[in-house]
């Protein structure tokens, strides 16, 4: 697993835990399912084996009764008719539970004895004839002693177990024999002492119900399946009982096609197996879930919580300079080391910031003082030029006035940019009004006029506003030298969000000369674009891009 795919510490630790816990959970689930299937298979095998045990007991009893019947038939075949009846009667008296014997010799003689007076010889003969018409039972193992039919019959509302044997061997003196016995004999065979109270077993005759049973009240057939199921050989199934609740059944054929043993079990064993399965399945899963929960809580409490504290402190630094990473006694040592290192770094940064702030304050103070000194020096220079101008005449006076005006541009620019004590952009309208006033006072003759229309609130840095002032002084000064009565108008207006257009016009056409070389340098410093060259009344038009 590539833990780098997970971006957070919690995600990586959780992914590692899942990678360990998931195989364990799968193995636990497989083990629980395997155990459950094994237990269920054992329960089903036990149920089938129980039905087999009772079926074997019934078969053993029937085989023993058959041997007794054949022995009596062999002994009776060698005696006379009277002795046959006496011998049969003696057998019935000595063997408890045997009720009647009917023997038919190959010579046609019939020996018929019954302890119950209501069971006559005619009834026994009719019963033997009826059983002879039914198919014989299949051989269970080895060689059968005769052609046999095991059944149960009801004579005068009394149920009997019937063993019928028929022989086609001419050497056998007895051709057919019938033995009737009481069902209690088989009931005693089914008695295994103390048995499971949840178990009920019975010998069933197809269509007529219970022949004998154990584990249930006499005459109680409510535990039998609601619909009779006759096994071919053996079968196991679950179905609703006649009483309603579902039960498990196992059946085994005893004598085809009518006699079979059926055993019934409640679902207590299956429910116990299911409970065990759920415990085996859920215990490790719940343990892993609890482990995951505790592990996540431990991650949050001992790792993620402190990491979030570091993150919160780092983010809070943008608004709160005193923010620190939390440091607690219960922090893991490595987390505490990181938090202390972070706080140390923050303190060192604050110290550097304080030193830098002090240095910047000192620098601002020095710069401000320097600009004040420059402004004061410019004012001194302007005053000296003004004093010298008083003693000059003609071109010298005009040159000194032009120089004084240019010095004033520098002085005004520094005055405006340091108006609030710090360097800041200069508003174009205020600066141009001041420059136009100074031009009017220093350069304009009495019969000349200087006008301005300033319609902008934009600002320019001091590095650009100074050459702009020089440009206007240069253009207006050269225009005013063309003669008396001239009026010059300076217009500044916004033509876009970031563009100022400055135009200078005279009230009449004048002769235009080439501008000095310095003029191109001024345009470069201003970063201005010439819109129209001087011509006629226009002294020039320029556009300046600014960003407030």
């Amino acid at each position: 697993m590539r833990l780098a795919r997970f971006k957070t510490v919690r995600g990586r630790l959780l992914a590692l835990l899942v990678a360990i816990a998931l195989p364990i959970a799968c193995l636990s689930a497989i083990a629980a399912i395997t155990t459950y299937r094994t237990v269920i298979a054992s329960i089903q095998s036990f149920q089938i084996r129980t039905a087999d045990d009772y079926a074997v007991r019934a078969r053993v009893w029937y085989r023993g009764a058959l041997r007794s019947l054949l022995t009596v038939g062999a002994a009776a075949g060698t005696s006379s008719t009277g002795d046959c009846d006496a011998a049969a009667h003696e057998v019935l008296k000595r063997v408890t539970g045997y009720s009647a014997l009917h023997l038919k010799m190959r010579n046609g003689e019939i020996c018929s004895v019954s302890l119950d007076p209501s069971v006559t010889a005619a009834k026994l003969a009719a019963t033997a004839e009826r059983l002879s018409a039914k198919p014989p039972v299949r051989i269970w193992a080895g060689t059968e002693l005769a052609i046999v039919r095991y059944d149960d019959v009801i004579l005068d509302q009394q149920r009997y177990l019937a063993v019928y044997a028929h022989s086609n061997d001419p050497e056998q003196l007895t051709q057919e024999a019938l033995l009737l016995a009481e069902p209690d004999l088989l009931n005693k065979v089914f008695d295994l002492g103390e048995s499971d109270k949840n178990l009920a077993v019975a010998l069933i005759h197809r269509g007529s119900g219970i022949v004998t049973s154990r584990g249930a009240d006499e005459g109680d057939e409510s535990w039998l399946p609601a619909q009779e199921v006759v096994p071919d050989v053996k079968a196991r199934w679950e179905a609703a009982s006649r009483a309603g609740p579902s039960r498990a059944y196992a059946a085994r054929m005893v004598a085809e096609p009518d006699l079979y043993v059926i055993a019934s079990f409640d679902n207590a064993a299956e429910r116990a197996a299911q409970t065990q399965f759920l415990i085996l399945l859920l215990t490790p899963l719940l343990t892993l879930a609890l482990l995951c929960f505790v592990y996540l809580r431990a991650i949050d409490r001992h790792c993620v919580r402190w990491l979030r504290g570091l993150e919160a402190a780092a983010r809070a630094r943008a608004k709160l300079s005193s923010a620190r990473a939390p440091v607690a006694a219960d922090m893991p040592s490595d987390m505490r080391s990181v938090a202390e290192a972070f706080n140390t770094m923050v303190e060192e940064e604050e110290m550097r910031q304080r030193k830098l702030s002090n240095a910047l304050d000192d620098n601002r103070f020095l710069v401000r003082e320097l600009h004040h000194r420059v402004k004061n020096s410019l004012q001194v220079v302007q005053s000296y030029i003004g004093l010298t101008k008083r003693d000059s005449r003609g071109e010298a006076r005009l040159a000194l006035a032009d120089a004084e005006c240019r010095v004033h541009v520098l002085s005004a620019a520094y005055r405006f940019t340091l108006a609030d004590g710090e360097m800041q952009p200069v508003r174009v309208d205020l600066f141009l009004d001041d420059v136009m006033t100074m031009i009017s006072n220093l350069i304009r003759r009495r019969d000349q006029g200087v006008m301005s229309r300033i319609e902008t609130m934009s600002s320019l840095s001091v590095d650009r506003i100074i050459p702009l002032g020089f440009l206007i002084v240069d253009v207006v000064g050269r225009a005013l030298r063309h003669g008396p009565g001239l009026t010059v108008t300076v217009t500044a207006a916004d033509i876009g969000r970031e563009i100022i257009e400055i135009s200078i016009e005279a009230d009449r056409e004048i002769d235009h000369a080439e501008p000095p070389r310095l003029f191109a340098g001024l345009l470069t410093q201003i970063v201005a674009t010439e819109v129209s060259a001087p011509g006629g009344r226009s002294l020039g038009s320029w556009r300046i891009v600014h960003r407030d």
Side-chain angles (χ1 to χ4, degrees):
M1 177 184 293
R2 295 183 178 179
L3 296 179
R5 294 178 179 176
F6 301 91
K7 302 304 181 182
T8 62
V9 174
R10 184 180 184 184
R12 294 184 182 184
L13 294 178
L14 182 59
L16 183 61
L17 177 63
V18 171
I20 297 173
L22 188 60
I24 298 176
C26 293
L27 291 177
S28 301
I30 292 173
I33 293 172
T34 303
T35 302
Y36 174 71
R37 290 180 176 177
T38 302
V39 171
I40 291 297
S42 300
I43 292 173
Q44 295 176 355
S45 177
F46 166 77
Q47 293 172 350
I48 295 175
R49 202 164 51 244
T50 300
D52 286 345
D53 291 342
Y54 282 100
V56 168
R57 286 177 173 272
R59 288 177 178 179
V60 169
W61 182 87
Y62 272 110
R63 179 62 68 88
L66 174 62
R67 290 180 180 275
S68 299
L69 178 60
L70 295 179
T71 301
V72 172
T78 59
S79 62
S80 61
T81 303
D83 293 336
C84 174
D85 291 342
H89 192 273
E90 187 66 21
V91 169
L92 296 179
K93 288 176 62 178
R94 289 181 177 275
V95 180
T96 304
Y98 284 3
S99 297
L101 280 172
H102 175 77
L103 303 174
K104 182 179 180 181
M105 305 304 172
R106 195 164 297 282
N107 58 8
E109 294 181 0
I110 295 176
C111 178
S112 185
V113 180
S114 174
L115 297 181
D116 187 354
S118 62
V119 181
T120 61
K123 293 181 179 179
L124 291 175
T127 301
E129 183 179 359
R130 187 170 65 254
L131 294 178
S132 65
K134 295 183 177 182
V137 298
R138 284 182 286 185
I139 299 174
W140 292 336
T143 303
E144 189 57 87
L145 302 177
I147 300 173
V148 183
R149 170 69 187 178
Y150 301 133
D151 210 330
D152 76 306
V153 297
I154 298 176
L155 299 177
D156 294 333
Q157 299 181 351
Q158 179 66 37
R159 185 184 293 274
Y160 296 97
L161 302 177
V163 179
Y164 173 79
H166 177 77
S167 177
N168 293 326
D169 187 358
E171 295 182 0
Q172 295 289 336
L173 298 178
T174 304
Q175 181 178 356
E176 63 179 8
L178 173 63
L179 171 63
L180 298 183
E182 297 177 358
D184 283 344
L185 289 178
L186 192 57
N187 193 16
K188 294 176 181 179
V189 173
F190 278 8
D191 188 3
L192 299 180
E194 294 184 1
S195 60
D196 189 353
K197 63 181 181 179
N198 297 319
L199 169 64
V201 63
L203 179 67
I204 303 295
H205 186 277
R206 182 201 297 262
S208 62
I210 297 175
V211 176
T212 185
S213 65
R214 298 293 297 174
D217 295 336
E218 291 291 334
D220 181 15
E221 298 184 357
S222 62
W223 58 272
L224 292 176
Q227 294 183 352
E228 185 177 15
V229 177
V230 180
D232 292 336
V233 177
K234 60 182 178 180
R236 184 201 171 277
W237 71 98
E238 294 182 4
S241 64
R242 295 180 183 180
S246 178
R247 297 178 66 91
Y249 296 94
R252 183 65 183 261
M253 184 60 68
V254 175
E256 296 82 357
D258 295 330
L259 286 179
Y260 62 92
V261 168
I262 185 170
S264 175
F265 309 85
D266 63 6
N267 293 324
E270 286 83 351
R271 289 194 296 269
Q274 291 176 355
T275 302
Q276 182 183 13
F277 165 70
L278 293 176
I279 293 175
L280 291 176
L281 179 63
L282 295 179
T283 298
L285 296 182
L286 291 177
T287 301
L288 291 174
L290 180 61
L291 177 62
C292 291
F293 175 75
V294 174
Y295 190 65
L296 288 177
R297 289 294 301 273
I299 292 174
D300 287 339
R301 182 176 178 82
H302 300 289
C303 182
V304 176
R305 179 163 68 101
W306 305 116
L307 290 178
R308 288 174 178 169
L310 288 173
E311 180 186 7
R315 295 184 183 278
R317 290 281 302 161
K319 298 180 179 179
L320 185 62
S321 60
S322 61
R324 295 291 187 275
V327 178
D330 59 340
M331 287 181 68
S333 59
D334 48 357
M335 290 290 180
R336 186 187 301 112
S337 178
V338 173
E340 291 173 350
F342 176 83
N343 291 338
T344 301
M345 179 186 67
V346 170
E347 292 172 358
E348 292 176 353
E349 182 184 359
E350 289 179 349
M351 186 179 298
R352 287 194 299 270
Q353 288 179 350
R354 284 195 295 269
K355 291 181 179 179
L356 180 60
S357 178
N358 293 334
L360 289 175
D361 291 340
D362 294 341
N363 189 35
R364 289 193 192 96
F365 176 77
L366 292 175
V367 171
R368 190 164 52 248
E369 287 298 318
L370 177 62
H371 284 291
H372 279 302
R373 296 295 182 267
V374 171
K375 183 181 68 172
N376 293 337
S377 298
L378 290 174
Q379 289 177 349
V380 171
V381 171
Q382 183 180 356
S383 298
Y384 275 114
I385 294 174
L387 292 174
T388 305
K389 184 181 66 173
R390 293 179 183 178
D391 300 330
S392 302
R393 296 291 183 271
E395 290 295 329
R397 183 181 180 87
L398 292 176
L400 290 174
D402 185 73
E404 183 181 3
C405 191
R406 293 177 186 272
V407 172
H408 179 79
V409 168
L410 291 171
S411 178
Y414 280 105
R415 184 175 71 254
F416 283 116
T417 194
L418 294 173
D420 295 330
E422 292 185 358
M423 296 288 290
Q424 60 186 355
V426 179
R427 279 184 46 182
V428 175
D429 56 344
L430 300 178
F431 177 75
L432 292 183
D433 285 339
D434 189 271
V435 170
M436 295 304 294
T437 300
M438 186 56 62
I439 291 174
S440 179
N441 293 334
L442 297 178
I443 300 177
R444 180 183 65 83
R445 299 175 184 176
R446 293 184 179 181
D447 57 348
Q448 293 178 332
V450 177
M451 300 177 62
S452 63
R453 290 197 298 270
I454 313 300
E455 298 177 355
T456 179
M457 299 291 289
S458 303
S459 300
L460 290 175
S461 66
V462 68
D463 295 334
R464 299 177 69 189
I465 204 72
I466 290 175
L468 176 61
F470 286 164
L471 182 144
I472 293 176
V473 169
D474 181 77
V475 173
V476 175
R478 285 190 286 112
L480 292 177
R481 290 181 183 181
H482 281 80
L486 182 67
T487 300
V488 179
T489 303
V490 178
T491 303
D494 293 325
I495 62 171
R497 293 184 59 183
E498 298 179 352
I499 300 176
I500 306 171
E501 183 171 299
I502 297 177
S503 301
I504 304 177
E505 289 185 350
D507 60 350
R508 66 175 182 267
E509 292 185 1
I510 62 176
D511 294 332
H512 298 280
E514 284 292 328
R517 292 181 179 180
L518 183 62
F519 193 81
L522 294 175
L523 292 178
T524 302
Q525 292 181 20
I526 302 171
V527 192
T529 303
E530 188 177 45
V531 178
S532 63
R537 295 173 55 189
S538 175
L539 303 180
S541 179
W542 304 270
R543 288 183 180 177
I544 302 172
V545 178
H546 70 90
R547 290 179 176 82
D548 294 334

